[in-house]
Amino acid sequence: MNRTTRTISKALTITALGVAAMMLAGCSAAAGAAPNDDAEASTSPAAELRLGYFANVTHAPAIVGLEEVLLQDALGDTELTTSVFNAGPAAIEALSAGAIDATYIGPNPSINTFIQSGGQSAHIVAGAATGGAALVVRDGIDSADDLEGTTLATPQLGNTQDVALRAWLADEGFETDTQGGGDVHITPTENAQTLTLFQQGEVDGAWLPEPWVSRLIVDAGAHVLVDEAELWDDGAFPTTVLLVRAEFLAEHPETVKALLEGHEASIAWLADNADQAADVINAGIEAETGKPLDDAVIDRALEHVVFSVDPHAETFADLVANGLEAGTQKDGSIDGLFDLRILNELREEAGEEPVSAGGLGEE
């Protein structure tokens, strides 16, 4: 199998203080202006597309797109290079610095960069995955009442699971802060390290995406305290979206269209090849982490994730409220966050129903 050229980021984990500083300072609008329909500048296919993603089951459309060469096939002569991240804030830092052009990422970091840049940094062009996140804990913790004084991990300060945990704890009456203080201590930690710390008894649980939820359950004896799907109507909440730097979208819409063609092909492949999905996703995870997941882990993980191009824009007002309550984002408007025009153009060509931007952008 021919594999896409991959550029692996070596310093992917940002310290909590570094991320906090980035959040307070905001992302520079120089990362890219929002697309302007009236602009007369010519556009052209990009020579290269630099794509970010995580080695997570919730990023399976990216992994399948690479393993099955669906993304590169759609991009044609545009060279595809990739960077692998541990969590959203690190990917946003790379996107804001112009080091990558697009990334698979959680919704909350997408919201953060859009608000902090005054709507100038990036746009969500499609959904990728829903579900697949939960709070898992050690024996002896059977209800929210048992959490006072415990230490819980999240992938990174301000990432989607970090915000979900902080918002849920607030609803349960607990105080937390971004320095790890409060009634429940939250320690943003790289996912693999969280597994080790949980096995050593150094953390009491974690709010994580798949496959890390299933890894803590299967490999370390954790159990689910809160399945995030239970907190949303119909159990549908966005875990992963496809975010594109605004400047790149404005300058290279043809390339973004090709990327979306490959993205849709990956999601269709996942729907049509359920019997092969675990093996292909596992091959991609092993390529980036050096070790495949146990069959029990990946099988359980896939039971809790749905892959779809719908970003569930209707949930984003609640996600903003959660981020504000968690203290991990600034207040601001997300009007214009979505640009689903190219996606819906492709869907119209295929005779499919359009995807809604929920009044928060173009569709």
Side-chain angles (χ1 to χ4, degrees):
M1 181 183 298
N2 293 325
R3 297 181 62 82
T4 303
T5 301
R6 301 187 179 190
T7 304
I8 310 302
S9 298
K10 298 300 183 182
L12 301 180
T13 303
I14 301 175
T15 65
L17 288 176
V19 176
M22 180 180 70
M23 291 176 177
L24 292 174
C27 299
S28 171
N36 183 350
D37 291 335
D38 298 326
E40 297 181 357
S42 62
T43 64
S44 62
E48 179 184 21
L49 172 67
R50 301 163 300 172
L51 181 67
Y53 73 103
F54 312 164
N56 287 348
V57 171
T58 51
H59 288 230
I63 295 171
V64 165
L66 293 170
E67 291 297 310
E68 296 296 306
V69 203
L70 299 170
L71 292 173
Q72 184 62 76
D73 283 351
L75 286 166
D77 292 335
T78 297
E79 180 184 5
L80 175 63
T81 58
T82 61
S83 296
V84 179
F85 298 91
N86 175 64
I92 289 297
E93 186 178 49
L95 193 80
S96 299
I100 58 174
D101 306 304
T103 188
Y104 289 83
I105 196 169
N108 284 95
S110 304
I111 290 168
N112 285 342
T113 186
F114 188 83
I115 289 176
Q116 291 162 356
S117 68
Q120 300 299 303
S121 61
H123 298 278
I124 294 172
V125 298
T130 62
L135 172 60
V136 291
V137 294
R138 60 167 172 79
D139 288 345
I141 300 176
D142 299 308
S143 70
D145 293 339
D146 298 324
L147 290 173
E148 186 164 3
T150 61
T151 298
L152 304 177
T154 61
Q156 194 170 353
L157 178 64
N159 98 305
T160 299
Q161 287 76 48
D162 183 73
V163 171
L165 173 59
R166 294 174 191 276
W168 179 79
L169 286 171
D171 289 343
E172 294 295 323
F174 294 109
E175 292 186 2
T176 64
D177 62 44
T178 56
Q179 288 75 45
D183 302 321
V184 178
H185 313 299
I186 299 177
T187 174
T189 307
E190 193 273 331
N191 293 327
Q193 184 67 12
T194 291
L195 174 60
T196 300
L197 292 174
F198 184 82
Q199 291 170 323
Q200 294 172 345
E202 297 297 322
V203 296
D204 300 294
W207 198 300
L208 299 168
E210 291 290 6
W212 296 100
V213 169
S214 294
R215 286 210 65 182
L216 263 70
I217 291 170
V218 174
D219 296 342
H223 65 273
V224 174
L225 185 64
V226 181
D227 184 338
E228 191 171 345
E230 298 172 357
L231 306 180
W232 296 92
D233 292 341
D234 300 321
F237 65 99
T239 313
T240 309
V241 297
L242 182 54
L243 185 72
V244 176
R245 189 161 51 87
E247 184 178 30
F248 189 89
L249 177 58
E251 293 180 354
H252 305 294
E254 302 96 328
T255 303
V256 175
K257 183 176 183 178
L259 172 63
L260 284 169
E261 288 173 343
H263 175 61
E264 285 201 302
S266 296
I267 289 178
W269 189 98
L270 284 160
D272 295 340
N273 297 276
D275 58 333
Q276 303 175 52
D279 290 340
V280 172
I281 296 167
N282 223 357
I285 290 174
E286 181 179 12
E288 303 308 341
T289 66
K291 184 179 180 180
L293 300 172
D294 290 343
D295 289 345
V297 171
I298 195 164
D299 289 345
R300 186 194 180 283
L302 285 170
E303 291 174 357
H304 292 81
V305 184
V306 175
F307 304 107
S308 170
V309 298
D310 187 349
H312 289 279
E314 74 279 359
T315 67
F316 274 68
D318 288 336
L319 292 169
V320 170
N322 289 346
L324 290 170
E325 185 176 31
T328 58
Q329 73 175 53
K330 293 181 177 180
D331 195 4
S333 172
I334 56 169
D335 289 344
L337 173 61
F338 295 90
D339 191 338
L340 305 179
R341 289 175 292 179
I342 297 175
L343 174 65
N344 283 331
E345 177 186 336
L346 291 170
R347 293 181 65 79
E348 182 178 6
E349 292 172 0
E352 298 174 328
E353 290 296 317
V355 171
S356 173
L360 298 173
E362 302 283 355
E363 59 183 54

